[in-house]
Amino acid sequence: MEKQIGGKNDSSMSIISRIEEGYGKMSKSHKAIAAFITDHYEQAVFMTAAKLGETVGVSESTVVRFASGIGYDGYPEFQKELEDWVKDKLNTVQKIGAKYGKSTQSEILTSVLHADIEKIQDTIEHLDGTFFEMAVDTILEAETIYVLGMRSCEPLASFLHFYLNMIRGNVVLLSSTSISEIFEQMIRIGERDAIVGISFPRYSMRTLKAMEFANDRNAKVIAITDSVHSPMNLYSSCNLFARSDMVSIVDSLVAPLSVINALVVALCLKRPKDVKNNLEQLEQAWNNYQVYLNDEINFIDEEPMLNNPLMKE
């Protein structure tokens, strides 16, 4: 029997997709269950309804209602579906072996690079220019910018934070292993501020909840994600889509990084004087404190480096 969620036929949807799609309409307790399952599915798959409820801090009956709420006949069916989904994830290496097992190293390199080129081309065709301009203006006008990316998206968030910090002040990189600590760092977010949430499948529930919190505080919310079906769109008013499919056991983040790079370039062109002044101050600081002499070789065909006294770190 095919189940309905929000009036949609969803017989082919994965259990995580069901959770993500229904998240926006869930009660507070159901959202807590959803967050635990998506962030800790390896543990949740072995838990009874009573144990899951105890871990999250809700009743066993609430967990059963949660399972029914996303389209299952009961908790046993829900747990079986979660078990199958986890097994499928664990078989990823075998699938990659079947796809690339007989390929040479050179063929694998070419195949992966061509796949990344296709993702960038697809991103060019589907990225909304109006949203891109809106994101640039929002970042420049906000009093404080918060940037968040978890797991494989953390390097993207760090990259964006690094360059935003050169372009403007008051940029906060949110980093934590728990949602409560993220909220502590965001406690002062308000209507004059903005948050950039970066998340791709498997989507981060911690990022989603942070964006929900920002939206509740009337802050501007920008999502950098993969498609209109992403749950990150639930609380964002500005969506930048970049294609990111798995070509191996790791996520391809080439297209998202290109979009972020384009954001940085556009921001620099909007604030050229500020960027120039900030870089000049950095250059002066580097020269005054001999930063590059400590850890980088920045000259060729000059005096041998051993003739230059190195500062102790």
Side-chain angles (χ1 to χ4, degrees):
M1 178 179 177
E2 296 179 347
K3 300 174 179 62
Q4 303 285 320
I5 297 179
K8 297 181 181 180
N9 183 309
D10 74 312
S11 60
S12 62
M13 289 177 67
S14 73
I15 186 170
I16 299 300
S17 296
R18 293 189 187 194
I19 292 173
E20 290 166 346
E21 181 169 294
Y23 182 83
K25 297 180 181 180
M26 290 181 185
S27 65
K28 183 178 178 181
S29 57
H30 283 197
K31 284 181 177 179
I33 298 170
F36 181 83
I37 291 171
T38 51
D39 282 345
H40 306 284
Y41 59 86
E42 304 95 331
Q43 302 172 36
V45 70
F46 298 109
M47 292 181 174
T48 62
K51 181 61 178 177
L52 179 56
E54 179 185 347
T55 303
V56 177
V58 300
S59 67
E60 179 180 357
S61 59
T62 299
V63 174
V64 174
R65 285 195 296 271
F66 169 83
S68 299
I70 60 172
Y72 295 99
D73 291 333
Y75 187 78
E77 184 185 16
F78 165 85
Q79 190 174 38
K80 178 63 169 60
E81 191 75 13
L82 181 60
E83 180 182 345
D84 291 343
W85 185 85
V86 171
K87 285 180 179 178
D88 184 63
K89 287 296 176 184
L90 294 177
N91 287 334
T92 299
V93 175
Q94 295 176 4
K95 294 177 183 177
I96 297 305
K99 182 176 181 180
Y100 295 110
K102 297 181 179 179
S103 301
T104 66
Q105 299 301 310
S106 179
E107 288 171 339
I108 293 172
L109 171 65
T110 302
S111 177
V112 171
L113 291 181
H114 277 301
D116 280 340
I117 290 171
E118 290 176 6
K119 292 177 182 63
I120 292 177
Q121 186 60 48
D122 185 78
T123 299
I124 291 172
E125 294 172 1
H126 294 93
L127 186 65
D128 191 320
T130 302
F131 277 142
F132 183 83
E133 293 178 10
M134 184 189 301
V136 171
D137 291 338
T138 298
I139 290 171
L140 289 178
E141 294 168 5
E143 190 170 290
T144 302
I145 292 288
Y146 297 84
V147 182
L148 176 60
M150 305 302 297
R151 297 195 300 268
S152 61
C153 292
E154 190 171 350
L156 296 178
S158 295
F159 181 90
L160 179 58
H161 170 264
F162 177 82
Y163 284 103
L164 285 184
N165 202 44
M166 286 191 175
I167 298 167
R168 48 153 298 158
N170 298 328
V171 184
V172 179
L173 178 63
L174 299 170
S175 179
S176 177
T177 56
S178 72
I179 190 63
S180 62
E181 290 181 6
I182 291 175
F183 285 165
E184 289 166 8
Q185 297 170 61
M186 295 175 61
I187 194 65
R188 293 181 180 84
I189 195 170
E191 60 184 10
R192 296 181 180 179
D193 306 318
I195 183 172
V196 181
I198 308 171
S199 189
F200 293 84
R202 247 183 359 101
Y203 305 107
S204 166
M205 193 61 69
R206 280 174 285 172
T207 301
L208 182 62
K209 290 174 79 68
M211 293 168 71
E212 180 184 12
F213 179 71
N215 181 70
D216 290 343
R217 292 292 192 90
N218 297 315
K220 305 295 189 302
V221 181
I222 300 169
I224 300 179
T225 188
D226 65 319
S227 73
V228 293
H229 304 294
S230 168
M232 297 300 124
N233 305 329
L234 284 171
Y235 305 108
S236 62
S237 56
C238 181
N239 304 315
L240 303 180
F241 298 139
R243 187 175 162 193
S244 176
D245 296 332
M246 287 188 66
V247 294
S248 66
I249 59 173
V250 297
D251 298 322
S252 174
L253 298 175
V254 171
L257 182 58
S258 292
V259 170
I260 291 173
N261 196 27
L263 263 182
V264 171
V265 172
L267 289 164
C268 288
L269 293 176
K270 283 268 192 174
R271 290 260 185 99
K273 291 183 178 179
D274 290 345
V275 174
K276 182 175 181 292
N277 290 336
N278 290 338
L279 289 176
E280 287 176 348
Q281 291 181 44
L282 273 174
E283 186 70 29
Q284 186 63 43
W286 290 335
N287 290 337
N288 288 345
Y289 295 96
Q290 301 180 14
V291 171
Y292 282 117
L293 193 56
N294 280 318
D295 55 12
E296 296 191 20
I297 299 175
N298 199 31
F299 50 84
I300 300 176
D301 295 332
E302 295 182 5
E303 290 293 326
M305 191 161 186
L306 291 178
N307 293 341
N308 291 278
L310 302 182
M311 292 181 64
K312 294 182 179 179
E313 297 188 7

